[in-house]
Amino acid sequence: MSHVQSRNSESSSEMTSRLLPLLFTPQLGLAEIELTTACPCRCITCGTNCGRAEVDELTAEELMKVLSDLSDLGCQRVSLLGGDPLCRPELTTLIRHARTHRLLVEIITSGMGLDATVAQELKSAGLNSATVSVDGLEASHDAQRGVRGLYGRAITAIRALRAARVAVGVNTQVNRVSLPDLEALGDQLLEAGVMGWQLQATLPMGRAGQSSLILQPADMPELLSVVRRLSRRRRLAPQLTDAIGWWTSDDTRLRSVPGAQARCWLGCMAGLQHMGITSQGNVKGCLALPDEFTEGNVRNETLREIWSDTKRFAYNRAYRPESLSGACATCAQSTLCRGGCAASAVSFHGRSGRNDNCLLLVERNQNKL
């Protein structure tokens, strides 16, 4: 039997067994770097508690060393965020340094202060793309962000970036305030020139820890209905990100960018393909994970020492099926899903391996009716 014929005759379980070791082998692709906790906004949905800069944030020289080390580790892409990365005066210097080390660079920003001049400076520095946070229509967005008029400034930033020929997308936090806005918001973002749109659930952490805005299991049927309607948009259909999902029958369509390579949820990649570095140099698998998931600090060890230590990032690198609980423990998709987004699970339940805000549970319940 030929090699091709052998592969085609594989059962799904055999294929899964063959691909799992490759899928969950550490290979760094994306690093998120929190340049500062300084931020002009006071968002009630903030996953940390940003506002003022920490007193001992990494210096520009330390950040350039981090970028160089990430390149040496084979990292392909860095996302510079905060707080708001525009609050770091060395931002363009850091972008240039990253680009000289063959890293693709994205920033995530509120858009406040990002006018035509700033957009052109970012483009000249080599910025590849920018994501502007827009969390609903004008009234909802400004109320959540704590800055009157911020929605208009975000739209201005989007247009300035497009005029400077920077690829620009939008990330929208989905919660009880923004969910009713999503369908109308899509048209406004399209008109502003947005090229891509991602949806991310607001999680109960940081300033949002006890927020009544957080979606609960009872809100999931409405969320599933909305995202399915949005997925049928001919232009600017949004994509689900890690904290929303997982494994519905149309997960690939809900999570893929039209015209790009199809993708579906294949488990949390924190500590496997992703790394997060805080403004004080703490290293985590994902910046959305709390401080108890810190694996080291770049001031005490090199990034290579931290990343290459096989005993770290154990929640994913040494994953055990027994760690699953709730409905995840008996789910047929658990081999690949692994209980959904780890940060979501930890924020709701204190540990990974259980996500009750699961759209697959909604789909199964609806199919029983």
Side-chain angles (χ1 to χ4, degrees), residues 66-219:
V66 165
L67 291 166
S68 301
D69 289 349
L70 286 170
S71 177
D72 291 342
L73 283 172
C75 184
Q76 299 173 352
R77 186 162 56 98
V78 292
S79 183
L80 307 180
L81 46 94
D84 196 312
L86 295 176
C87 291
R88 282 296 295 241
E90 314 94 339
L91 177 58
T92 54
T93 299
L94 296 172
I95 293 171
R96 286 190 178 91
H97 184 80
R99 297 296 291 129
T100 62
H101 285 78
R102 303 176 304 281
L103 292 166
L104 298 175
V105 185
E106 171 198 30
I107 63 168
I108 301 177
T109 175
S110 67
M112 194 165 179
L114 205 167
D115 57 16
T117 299
V118 173
Q120 190 55 59
E121 290 173 350
L122 293 169
K123 173 65 175 179
S124 297
L127 182 67
N128 297 99
S129 61
T131 296
V132 179
S133 298
V134 182
D135 297 331
L137 297 172
E138 184 172 6
S140 301
H141 178 76
D142 290 358
Q144 291 177 77
R145 294 268 160 178
V147 179
R148 183 177 297 178
L150 184 59
Y151 178 87
R153 298 181 193 183
I155 298 300
T156 296
I158 290 167
R159 289 175 172 151
L161 289 162
R162 282 303 307 271
R165 299 185 180 277
V166 175
V168 59
V170 158
N171 183 76
T172 299
Q173 286 209 39
V174 182
N175 51 55
R176 287 174 170 172
V177 170
S178 64
L179 181 57
D181 286 356
L182 294 182
E183 292 176 88
L185 179 61
D187 292 336
Q188 295 194 15
L189 297 179
L190 181 62
E191 191 277 332
V194 171
M195 302 171 69
W197 184 20
Q198 294 185 327
L199 304 180
Q200 181 75 25
T202 302
L203 298 179
M205 55 175 53
R207 200 176 289 138
Q210 303 299 320
S211 176
S212 61
L213 275 62
I214 305 298
L215 296 176
Q216 302 296 330
D219 300 306

Side-chain angles (χ1 to χ4, degrees), residues 215-271:
L215 296 176
Q216 302 296 330
D219 300 306
M220 292 300 106
E222 180 184 0
L223 175 61
L224 181 57
S225 295
V226 170
V227 298
R228 280 178 166 168
R229 287 197 298 271
L230 287 169
S231 73
R232 293 192 285 270
R233 288 177 58 93
R234 295 184 64 183
R235 298 177 63 191
L236 199 64
Q239 289 77 53
L240 302 186
T241 52
D242 294 358
I244 301 178
W246 302 263
W247 277 102
T248 57
S249 57
D250 52 355
D251 183 78
T252 298
R253 180 162 59 91
L254 298 178
R255 214 170 286 279
S256 301
V257 177
Q261 182 176 0
R263 61 186 295 267
C264 63
W265 175 255
L266 291 174
C268 172
M269 289 294 129

